[in-house]
Amino acid sequence: MINEIRGLGEEILSKIGSKAGFRNEKVINWKNWLQLYKFRPEFTDDPYAWLTDVLALKSVDSGNYGVGSIITDAEGKIVALGHNLVYSPSFRSDLHAEMVTLNYFEEENPQITTLKDYTLYTSLESCPMCLIRLISAGINRVFYASSDPIGGMTGSINLLPPLWKELSEPQVFAKACCSTGLSNAATAIMLINADELLDILRKRRL
């Protein structure tokens, strides 16, 4: 399984920064770091967190906010993956990484009626919109590589209305068991173009 994850991530990384005239030094530096990163056996979620970071970097490379997400089944096999698509190729306010990944999974697997044996990993703690979607989907476990003190919501489930709090009770929302390096990478990758993209959101209110 680990070799499959590494192979998938390496394939994605090989295409990052390949456009003619590409000059984003931060993207290239993180690409090199992720290529050299060795999974740490003491951190059971390392391979999955690493892949969400890879997808987050792909997201930045495509002109979107740097967040990546995957879904795994009971055996740990990756069954869906995605990254933020809010800004490119066209503006779609709903297409956060978790949304994209869940959309793909649900469209491809309409016969599956419960997600109690599935896990979603995301590079960044889910926002309020994505948290409600994850609760609605009923996915059993949600792990994030890096917390988001500005926009994250999973640590504040108790602030949700009673219905959503009740529905979330069987679910686990927690920090992934991954290295500090991967957590820091998730945050740094998200910040590469965050200010620029947030300005776009602010301008839509003018």
Side-chain angles (χ1 to χ4, degrees), residues 106-119:
E106 291 173 353
E107 289 167 4
E108 293 294 313
N109 301 281
Q111 78 286 358
I112 295 178
T113 58
T114 176
L115 296 183
K116 67 181 181 66
D117 293 325
Y118 291 82
T119 302

Side-chain angles (χ1 to χ4, degrees), residues 5 14 16 19 22 26 34 48 50 63 99 108 110 127 143 148 155 160 165 175 184 188-189:
I5 294 171
S14 69
I16 292 175
K19 298 174 186 175
F22 186 85
K26 290 182 179 178
L34 289 165
Y48 303 110
W50 175 81
M99 296 286 198
E108 293 294 313
C127 72
F143 297 126
D148 182 357
L160 293 175
K165 287 168 61 178
K175 177 82 165 50
N184 292 341
I189 290 167

Side-chain angles (χ1 to χ4, degrees), residues 29-82:
N29 287 343
W30 279 113
K31 173 182 177 177
N32 293 337
W33 188 89
L34 289 165
Q35 286 176 322
L36 292 172
Y37 184 83
K38 305 297 183 185
F39 300 148
R40 304 271 296 276
E42 66 268 33
F43 297 111
T44 53
D45 293 329
D46 242 30
Y48 303 110
W50 175 81
L51 187 56
T52 66
D53 283 357
V54 169
L55 289 163
L57 192 63
K58 179 184 178 182
S59 189
V60 173
D61 190 45
S62 67
N64 292 289
Y65 197 60
V67 183
S69 176
I70 63 174
I71 295 175
T72 63
D73 64 14
E75 285 73 44
K77 179 182 178 181
I78 296 169
V79 294
L81 52 81

Side-chain angles (χ1 to χ4, degrees), residues 14-25:
S14 69
K15 299 174 183 176
I16 292 175
S18 60
K19 298 174 186 175
F22 186 85
R23 299 181 184 279
N24 193 316
E25 185 176 342

Side-chain angles (χ1 to χ4, degrees), residues 4-192:
E4 292 177 7
I5 294 171
R6 173 65 73 173
L8 177 58
E10 290 288 357
E11 182 179 356
I12 295 169
L13 285 169
S14 69
K15 299 174 183 176
I16 292 175
S18 60
K19 298 174 186 175
F22 186 85
R23 299 181 184 279
N24 193 316
E25 185 176 342
K26 290 182 179 178
V27 169
I28 296 303
N29 287 343
W30 279 113
K31 173 182 177 177
N32 293 337
W33 188 89
L34 289 165
Q35 286 176 322
L36 292 172
Y37 184 83
K38 305 297 183 185
F39 300 148
R40 304 271 296 276
E42 66 268 33
F43 297 111
T44 53
D45 293 329
D46 242 30
Y48 303 110
W50 175 81
L51 187 56
T52 66
D53 283 357
V54 169
L55 289 163
L57 192 63
K58 179 184 178 182
S59 189
V60 173
D61 190 45
S62 67
N64 292 289
Y65 197 60
V67 183
S69 176
I70 63 174
I71 295 175
T72 63
D73 64 14
E75 285 73 44
K77 179 182 178 181
I78 296 169
V79 294
L81 52 81
H83 62 76
N84 187 289
L85 288 172
V86 169
Y87 300 91
S88 179
S90 61
F91 188 82
R92 278 287 305 271
S93 58
D94 60 321
L95 293 185
H96 288 199
E98 298 95 313
M99 296 286 198
V100 172
T101 308
L102 280 167
N103 286 348
Y104 175 84
F105 181 82
E106 291 173 353
E107 289 167 4
E108 293 294 313
N109 301 281
Q111 78 286 358
I112 295 178
T113 58
T114 176
L115 296 183
K116 67 181 181 66
D117 293 325
Y118 291 82
T119 302
L120 182 141
Y121 292 90
T122 179
S123 59
L124 191 69
E125 181 185 359
S126 299
C127 72
M129 177 177 71
C130 291
L131 177 61
I132 294 299
R133 173 72 185 278
L134 291 164
I135 294 172
S136 296
I139 194 160
N140 194 33
R141 294 170 297 275
V142 177
F143 297 126
Y144 50 90
S146 176
S147 60
D148 182 357
I150 297 175
M153 185 69 186
T154 59
S156 303
I157 290 178
N158 286 336
L159 299 178
L160 293 175
L163 171 63
W164 297 109
K165 287 168 61 178
E166 176 193 343
L167 290 173
S168 72
E169 286 176 2
Q171 296 172 282
V172 174
F173 295 90
K175 177 82 165 50
C177 181
C178 65
S179 72
T180 301
L182 288 176
S183 296
N184 292 341
T187 301
I189 290 167
M190 175 272 294
L191 290 173
I192 290 174

